[in-house]
Amino acid sequence: MLPLSKRVIALCCLLALGLTYYYFALFLPNTNSRLRVAGLDRGYRYGCDLYPLWSTGRGLLRHRTNPYTPAATEAVQIGIYGRSLRSPSHQSVFQNDGALVYPLYADLMLAPLALLSFPAARIIASVFLPIALVTGFGLWLRFLQLRVHLSAALVLALFVLTSYPVLEGLYAQQLSLLVAMLLAATALAASRGQMLRAGIFLGLASVKPQLIILPAAALALWALWDLRRRKNLMLGFLGTVGSLCLAAEAVLPGWGAYWIDALDGYRQYNSPPLTQFIFGTSAGTIVSVALVATLLVQSFRSRYANFSSSPFIESVSLSLAITVLVLPSSVAVYDHVLLFPAIFLLFSRRLEILSGGLPLRILGWVAAAVISWQWIGATGVVLASLVVPHDLKSTWILAPLRTAACVPFAVVSLLLFLIWRTGRELTKAKFLAPGG
């Protein structure tokens, strides 16, 4: 890729600054004002997703307290909201909000932070998570084999760091950002034939199991077709997860049953995945099954692919993108960081998209529009706030985020269409070749 002009760089910096200012100066104050009305603004809002791990980990290490109990959940709620949400007279569906829903070994992995005060732990996370993001960004570029000029790489990194999912994850100090880096390390190691290392990274990423189910299934299917060369991937993964589970069992026997009960309670108050949120329970389930089936077909088609081949890269990117649609909660916008490899892959093939047929071009422009709207819309709202600073309604303040739910659908649709088109052209070329 050629170096970017100074005007393009300046425009990109302006858009990145616009979204950052919008998030911290307009969106967060608007959100916190609603919490203030409900009397839920007296706790740790910054780092609210790290706090449950810190609080339960601290109790586990100091007193061997079961982190999945109502008492542990109530302590977390007091830390995050300033008061308990559990009321004997009113059994709200949100009474378990803040409960630990991670496997117990997540507490063990973050044990060093639990030994510190929460403000100190929050400072360390504030430094480490951006570093993890930038590291993951570099790993994805190497996995996708993208050669970009330094100026373009810096601009892409700037857009990554100032995207709405990342800002949301950084403010909440979400473990998804660390998992995204571990998945990038998994993909790069696998593409280089370093199977044991890839399996270990994937096992460590299992602290958020819902984010690795589909990538792990795709990689397992790929590994099964060449066990002689790829078995270490599965051994590394199973060995890592097994070791983590045994360590957790040694600390709290029977923790698995407590964790499953916590997951059941989590489903009662949490939002469904995006497919069900958009299409409803029945239709959304059908769409989810169709997407997972499509991923399995693609993984099966690429089972003989080399470590660094395009089909393997496409399968990994697709597995992560489909994960965003079918597994996490629809409100977990920070999990959209798993879309980055698919977006980078589509960006690298932009000329192919723009020179393709009309359906492909339309999908390309739609995807570009819904992805870029967060920066464009946020900058527009910021400029409007400078003119009418006290008259912006909540609808206008939330306008830049209106396409957040559309981004995964647009990315997955475009990637699937591109993969299908490429496969069809390769089949056609093979058929028309002499002796085909």
Side-chain angles (χ1 to χ4, degrees), residues 72-242:
T73 299
E74 189 170 14
V76 170
Q77 292 172 352
I78 293 172
I80 295 177
Y81 299 109
R83 67 178 177 86
S84 171
L85 302 181
R86 305 179 68 87
S87 171
S89 60
H90 181 62
Q91 296 297 317
S92 169
V93 294
F94 295 104
Q95 66 175 341
N96 291 321
D97 189 11
L100 184 71
V101 291
Y102 291 93
L104 187 68
Y105 53 79
D107 273 355
L108 301 182
M109 291 174 66
L110 296 181
L113 293 182
L115 299 176
L116 306 172
S117 67
F118 185 67
R122 194 166 54 176
I123 290 173
I124 293 176
S126 300
V127 174
F128 179 76
L129 288 178
I131 294 174
L133 275 167
V134 173
T135 302
F137 168 74
L139 295 175
W140 282 127
L141 290 187
R142 294 166 73 179
F143 167 69
L144 297 168
Q145 303 172 29
L146 297 184
R147 299 182 181 275
V148 296
H149 190 271
L150 178 60
S151 60
L154 291 175
V155 167
L156 283 175
L158 182 63
F159 277 136
V160 166
L161 287 171
T162 61
S163 64
Y164 171 52
V166 168
L167 292 176
E168 190 84 345
L170 289 175
Y171 181 74
Q173 298 194 324
Q174 238 297 325
L175 211 56
S176 294
L177 306 185
L178 174 61
V179 171
M181 184 196 72
L182 291 171
L183 288 171
T186 299
L188 181 61
S191 70
R192 293 182 170 181
Q194 300 167 344
M195 296 299 148
L196 183 61
R197 184 178 299 179
I200 292 173
F201 284 135
L202 185 61
L204 294 174
S206 68
V207 289
K208 295 204 73 169
Q210 72 273 29
L211 299 188
I212 72 154
I213 292 174
L214 293 185
L219 287 171
L221 183 60
W222 175 73
L224 283 172
W225 288 97
D226 192 352
L227 276 177
R228 185 179 62 83
R229 291 193 301 166
R230 304 169 183 171
K231 64 181 180 181
N232 283 343
L233 189 152
M234 301 180 69
L235 293 176
F237 173 72
L238 295 175
T240 301
V241 174

Side-chain angles (χ1 to χ4, degrees), residues 244-274:
L244 292 171
C245 289
L246 287 175
E249 187 67 21
V251 175
L252 181 65
W255 69 271
Y258 299 127
W259 177 45
I260 292 174
D261 287 341
L263 290 177
D264 184 60
Y266 181 71
R267 295 189 189 97
Q268 295 177 14
Y269 68 85
N270 202 33
S271 301
L274 271 173

